[in-house]
C-alpha cells in the first residue's frame, strides 16, 4: 500500500494526555519512550529528559546533535526550587572579527567552520546528571546507542527537514570539510518517511561519552579528534577551547503575568524577549478575543518592539550594555506600549530563519519537572561532522555581528546571542509546569502566543499548542497560519501589515508542555506540527 505520510487533507484532533507517575513529551515518539523507560526503571525526571535528549541526537539529527548547545530549567521537588542551566558555548580563542574578514566574509556565514562555537550539550547532560540524576549515567545512553547501531525508522517531519537539508548543502558537496557530513547523513540521499537509518559512528561516540561522563568530548579522545579535523580543514576550534568549557548554572528570570510567574533563562539566550513582549501587552489591557485581528495586531506590535531591543542588547552577559532589570521593568514596558497604535510599525528587521532545534520536557511522580531544549541552530548546523564519530557541529556563531560597536560583536571566548529558550510556569511559588516552542526566532513568538492561550483564553494544553499562529518576519512582513481565516488577514492588511498566509506548518514552531494540577496529576500535550508524542505512566 502506497501513501503520502506528509499529506493530511482533513482536520484532526489530538487530546490532552494524562498521567500520574511520570510523563515525557518530545517531537520524536521513540525519544519519549526512551525517557519513559528510565522512569519505569526507577529514574527521575532528570534521567528521563537526558535519555530522551541523547536519543534525539540520533532520531532527529536534522535539528540537533552531539555538537549542539542545550539549555534547561528544572524544578526540584526536594528543595522546592527552580534551577537554570546554560549549556551554550563560546567562540574559539583563535576566532575574531579580523580573522573572519580575512576570509572575505562581510558577515558571519551560516555553514562551515567559521560559525562553530564550543558545543555545550554533552557538558549540560553531565552537569544535570551530576547534580540531580539518579540512575547510572551510562544507562541513560542505552536507548540512543541501540537506535544508532540497530537502526530506526525515520518519522515524516524529520524526513521532510532532511530532504530540505540535502538541497541546502548541495553546493558544499565537493569541499573537503563537508565530506564527512555527506558520508554520514547523505550517503544514500535524504531518507523518506519510514526508511531505516543507522549511524554507527554516532553510536561509537555515544559509547565513549557514556563511559567517560562526557569528559572525552572536552578533555580526551574526542576533543583530540575535533582538534585534528579542525586543523586539517581550516577550522579555529582547538583542544584548549574544549578543555576550558563547562556548562554554567544560572538563575532563571521571571515576569509576573496575569497572576502567573513566567520563567525563562537570562541572556545570552533571548527568553527575555518573550517576557518583554508579555510585559508590554500587560500595559495594553486584556484582549478579549484570541482570534480577533485587534488581538493579533497588538501581539505583533509588542513582539516587534521586544525583538528590536533584544537584537540590540542581548549577548554574552559579560558584554551586556543594558541591564535585564531595565528591559523587564514597568517603565520600559509602559514606554514601549505607548508607541503601539492602530497601524503597523516599521522596526528594524530580524532574520526569520526558523532554525534546527528540539524541545522536550519531562516530569515524574515525585514532583520533579524539567524543561529542556537542544539545538544545532540551523538545520544540521554548520555541516561540519567529525569523521569516525558522527558528531555534527553547531553553527551558533552565525548570530555574531562583525560590527565592533554592536553588543553582540564576535570576540574570542565570547558567547553569542542565543535563540533556544526553555520555559517554565509557576503560580504562587508552586510549579505549574514546563513548556517550550522550538524554532529559531519563532521561539519567543511561540511562547507569547501559547502562554496567552493558556492564561488569558483558558485553552487546554493541547488547544494552546494547536491554535493557529502568526509570525513576524521583519519590517511589516508577517505570516499567518490558515486557521485565522481571510477576514483577519484582510483586516491586518488594512492596518499596514504585509500578510502572507502560509500553509507550511514547519515554520511556526513545534512545542510541548506538561502541566501539573493540585492533586499531582500530569497533563501533557505535543502539537501536530511535529512528529511528537506524549509518553505517560
Amino acid at each position: 500500500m502506497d501513501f503520502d505520510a506528509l499529506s493530511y487533507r482533513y482536520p484532526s484532533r489530538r487530546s490532552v494526555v494524562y498521567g500520574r507517575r511520570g510523563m515525557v513529551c518530545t517531537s520524536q515518539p521513540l525519544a519519549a519512550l526512551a525517557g519513559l523507560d528510565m522512569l519505569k526503571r526507577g529514574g527521575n525526571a532528570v534521567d528521563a529528559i537526558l535519555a530522551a535528549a541523547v536519543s534525539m541526537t540520533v532520531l532527529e539529527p536534522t535539528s540537533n546533535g552531539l555538537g549542539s548547545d542545550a539549555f534547561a530549567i528544572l524544578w526540584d521537588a526536594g528543595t522546592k526550587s527552580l534551577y537554570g542551566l546554560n549549556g551554550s558555548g563560546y567562540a574559539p580563542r583563535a576566532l575574531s572579527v579580523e580573522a573572519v574578514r580575512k576570509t572575505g566574509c562581510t558577515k558571519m556565514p551560516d555553514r562551515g567552520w567559521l560559525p562553530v562555537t564550543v558545543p555545550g550539550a554533552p557538558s549540560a547532560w553531565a552537569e544535570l546528571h551530576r547534580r540531580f540524576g539518579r540512575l547510572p549515567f551510562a544507562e541513560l545512553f542505552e536507548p540512543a546507542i541501540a537506535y544508532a547501531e540497530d537502526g530506526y525508522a525515520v518519522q515524516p517531519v524529520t524526513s521532510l527537514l532532511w530532504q530540505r537539508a540535502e538541497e541546502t548543502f548541495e553546493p558544499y558537496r565537493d569541499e573537503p570539510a563537508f565530506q564527512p557530513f555527506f558520508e554520514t547523513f547523505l550517503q544514500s540521499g535524504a531518507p523518506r518517511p519510514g526508511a531505516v537509518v543507522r549511524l554507527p559512528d554516532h553510536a561509537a561516540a555515544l559509547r565513549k561519552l557514556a563511559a567517560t561522563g562526557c569528559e572525552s568530548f572536552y578533555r580526551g579522545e574526542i576533543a583530540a579528534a575535533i582538534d585534528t579535523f579542525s586543523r586539517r580543514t581550516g577550522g579555529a576550534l582547538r583542544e584548549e577551547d574544549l578543555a576550558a568549557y563547562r556548562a554554567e548554572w544560572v538563575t532563571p528570570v521571571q515576569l509576573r503575568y496575569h497572576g502567573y510567574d513566567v520563567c525563562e533563562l537570562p541572556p545570552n539566550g533571548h527568553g527575555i524577549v518573550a517576557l518583554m513582549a508579555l510585559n508590554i501587552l500587560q500595559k495594553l489591557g486584556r484582549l478579549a478575543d484570541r482570534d480577533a485581528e485587534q488581538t493579533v495586531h497588538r501581539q505583533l506590535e509588542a513582539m516587534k518592539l521586544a525583538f528590536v531591543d533584544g537584537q540590540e542588547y542581548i549577548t554574552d552577559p559579560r558584554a551586556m550594555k543594558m541591564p535585564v532589570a531595565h528591559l523587564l521593568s514597568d517603565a520600559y514596558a509602559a514606554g514601549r506600549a505607548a508607541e503601539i497604535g492602530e497601524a503597523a510599525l516599521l522596526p528594524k528587521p530580524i532574520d526569520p530563519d526558523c532554525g534546527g532545534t528540539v524541545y522536550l520536557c519531562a516530569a515524574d511522580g515525585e514532583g520533579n519537572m524539567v524543561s529542556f531544549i537542544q539545538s544545532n541552530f540551523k538545520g544540521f548546523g554548520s555541516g561540519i561532522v567529525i569523521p569516525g564519530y558522527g558528531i555534527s557541529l553547531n553553527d551558533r556563531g552565525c548570530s555574531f555581528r562583525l560590527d565592533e560597536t554592536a553588543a553582540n560583536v564576535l570576540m574570542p571566548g565570547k558567547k553569542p546571542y542565543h535563540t533556544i529558550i526553555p520555559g517554565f510556569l509557576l503560580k504562587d511559588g508552586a510549579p505549574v509546569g514546563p513548556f517550550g516552542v522550538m524554532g529559531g526566532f519563532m521561539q519567543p513568538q511561540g511562547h507569547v502566543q501559547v502562554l496567552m492561550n493558556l492564561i488569558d483564553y483558558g485553552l487546554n494544553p493541547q488547544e494552546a499548542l494547536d491554535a493557529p499562529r502568526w509570525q513576524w518576519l521583519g519590517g511589516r512582513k508577517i505570516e499567518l497560519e490558515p486557521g485565522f481565516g481571510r477576514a483577519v488577514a484582510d483586516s491586518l492588511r488594512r492596518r499596514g501589515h504585509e500578510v502572507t498566509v502560509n500553509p507550511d506548518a514547519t515554520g511556526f514552531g513545534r512545542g510541548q508542555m506538561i502541566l501539573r494540577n493540585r492533586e499531582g496529576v500530569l497533563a501533557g500535550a505535543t502539537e501536530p506540527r511535529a512528529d511528537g508524542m506524549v509518553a505517560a505512566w
Side-chain angles (χ1 to χ4, degrees):
M1 183 180 294
D2 294 325
F3 55 84
D4 185 351
L6 293 167
S7 176
Y8 300 92
R9 285 172 283 181
Y10 307 107
S12 63
R13 180 175 67 87
R14 294 186 178 188
S15 299
V16 177
V17 176
Y18 289 97
R20 187 173 62 85
R21 299 183 65 180
M23 186 173 286
V24 185
C25 303
T26 76
S27 58
Q28 293 292 316
L30 296 177
L33 293 172
L36 190 66
D37 189 39
M38 298 304 146
L39 291 174
K40 291 187 173 183
R41 295 185 191 185
N44 59 18
V46 169
D47 298 315
I49 206 73
L50 290 175
V54 176
S55 294
M56 287 296 288
T57 69
V58 179
L59 299 169
E60 196 176 325
T62 53
S63 301
N64 75 132
L66 296 177
S68 286
D69 285 345
F71 287 177
I73 300 178
L74 163 77
W75 175 266
D76 177 57
T79 60
K80 293 182 169 53
S81 299
L82 202 64
Y83 299 85
L85 183 64
N86 183 321
S88 68
Y90 39 69
R93 300 298 198 280
L95 193 65
S96 64
V97 169
E98 182 182 4
V100 173
R101 285 180 174 156
K102 282 182 178 179
T103 68
C105 294
T106 57
K107 66 175 186 176
M108 288 297 292
D110 297 338
R111 314 295 180 184
W113 275 110
L114 286 177
V116 174
T117 57
V118 173
S123 179
W125 301 341
E127 279 295 309
L128 268 176
H129 182 266
R130 178 188 63 79
R131 192 165 180 181
F132 295 106
R134 180 177 297 163
L135 296 176
F137 189 63
E139 192 170 339
L140 309 180
F141 286 71
E142 290 175 2
I145 292 170
Y147 292 141
E149 286 184 338
D150 301 338
Y152 64 94
V154 174
Q155 303 298 325
V157 175
T158 301
S159 168
L160 177 64
L161 298 176
W162 215 314
Q163 292 170 47
R164 291 177 178 173
E166 185 173 22
E167 297 176 8
T168 297
F169 283 98
E170 184 58 34
Y172 304 97
R173 183 174 288 276
D174 296 329
E175 296 186 24
F178 291 86
Q179 289 308 300
F181 169 77
F182 285 95
E183 293 166 1
T184 301
F185 295 112
L186 291 172
Q187 192 169 37
S188 301
R192 300 298 172 182
V196 176
V197 167
R198 293 178 177 83
L199 299 170
D201 289 350
H202 197 119
L206 288 171
R207 288 189 180 280
K208 295 183 186 304
L209 294 177
T212 65
C214 293
E215 277 293 299
S216 58
F217 194 101
Y218 299 96
R219 292 161 283 276
E221 176 185 330
I222 294 177
I226 293 171
D227 184 296
T228 298
F229 190 62
S230 177
R231 291 177 188 273
R232 177 152 52 93
T233 54
L237 191 59
R238 298 290 182 265
E239 281 188 271
E240 308 88 77
D241 299 310
L242 295 161
Y245 182 77
R246 282 220 174 29
E248 178 184 7
W249 291 99
V250 296
T251 301
V253 291
Q254 301 183 15
L255 174 77
R256 172 73 68 160
Y257 179 78
H258 293 169
Y260 289 83
D261 291 315
V262 182
C263 307
E264 304 273 1
L265 291 187
N268 57 316
H270 70 169
I272 64 168
V273 169
L275 302 184
M276 291 157 65
L278 288 170
N279 208 16
I280 293 168
L281 285 162
Q282 285 194 119
K283 304 305 177 187
L284 299 174
R286 286 186 181 267
L287 302 167
D289 185 352
R290 195 211 90 90
D291 297 312
E293 56 88 17
Q294 171 78 341
T295 300
V296 177
H297 168 71
R298 288 189 175 181
Q299 289 174 330
L300 281 162
E301 296 307 295
M303 181 56 62
K304 289 179 186 178
L305 294 170
F307 250 132
V308 165
D309 292 328
Q311 289 277 295
E312 184 68 22
Y313 298 115
I314 294 172
T315 187
D316 188 313
R318 296 168 297 177
M320 287 275 287
K321 299 179 180 179
M322 180 70 69
V324 170
H326 174 73
L327 294 172
L328 296 180
S329 69
D330 284 343
Y332 165 83
R336 279 310 212 180
E339 299 177 40
I340 296 176
E342 298 304 308
L345 295 170
L346 185 62
K348 184 172 64 176
I350 62 168
D351 179 354
D353 188 283
C354 196
T357 304
V358 297
Y359 175 78
L360 46 157
C361 49
D364 59 36
E366 301 167 30
N368 302 298
M369 308 178 86
V370 188
S371 184
F372 193 92
I373 197 160
Q374 192 162 271
S375 175
N376 283 338
F377 191 24
K378 301 194 175 180
F380 275 113
S382 63
I384 302 298
V385 172
I386 306 304
Y389 297 90
I391 297 170
S392 59
L393 297 176
N394 69 76
D395 60 341
R396 267 301 151 191
C398 72
S399 294
F400 279 125
R401 295 168 65 179
L402 301 183
D403 176 3
E404 284 89 346
T405 66
N408 194 40
V409 62
L410 168 65
M411 294 179 65
K414 182 179 180 181
K415 294 184 177 184
Y417 178 112
H418 223 287
T419 60
I420 63 175
I421 52 173
F424 204 97
L425 203 58
L426 302 173
K427 186 170 179 61
D428 301 326
V432 177
F435 68 92
V437 178
M438 64 191 93
F441 288 99
M442 181 63 203
Q443 291 185 52
Q445 304 187 64
H447 280 211
V448 166
Q449 293 173 77
V450 168
L451 285 169
M452 292 185 73
N453 290 343
L454 284 171
I455 297 170
D456 296 327
Y457 304 115
L459 275 60
N460 70 48
Q462 190 61 55
E463 282 183 300
L465 290 172
D466 288 347
R469 292 187 188 140
W470 49 260
Q471 179 177 194
W472 178 51
L473 299 180
R476 293 192 178 95
K477 295 180 180 179
I478 66 169
E479 285 187 342
L480 300 178
E481 288 192 298
F484 280 108
R486 178 178 292 181
V488 169
D490 289 344
S491 295
L492 291 169
R493 289 188 182 101
R494 287 193 290 272
R495 290 177 179 267
H497 296 281
E498 299 171 15
V499 180
T500 300
V501 178
N502 187 354
D504 181 359
T506 59
F508 290 91
R510 301 174 291 153
Q512 277 79 232
M513 75 171 72
I514 299 173
L515 304 182
R516 187 175 189 268
N517 69 13
R518 293 181 182 89
E519 290 73 40
V521 175
L522 304 169
T526 181
E527 62 178 70
R529 297 173 186 86
D531 299 314
M533 176 178 174
V534 179
W537 186 24

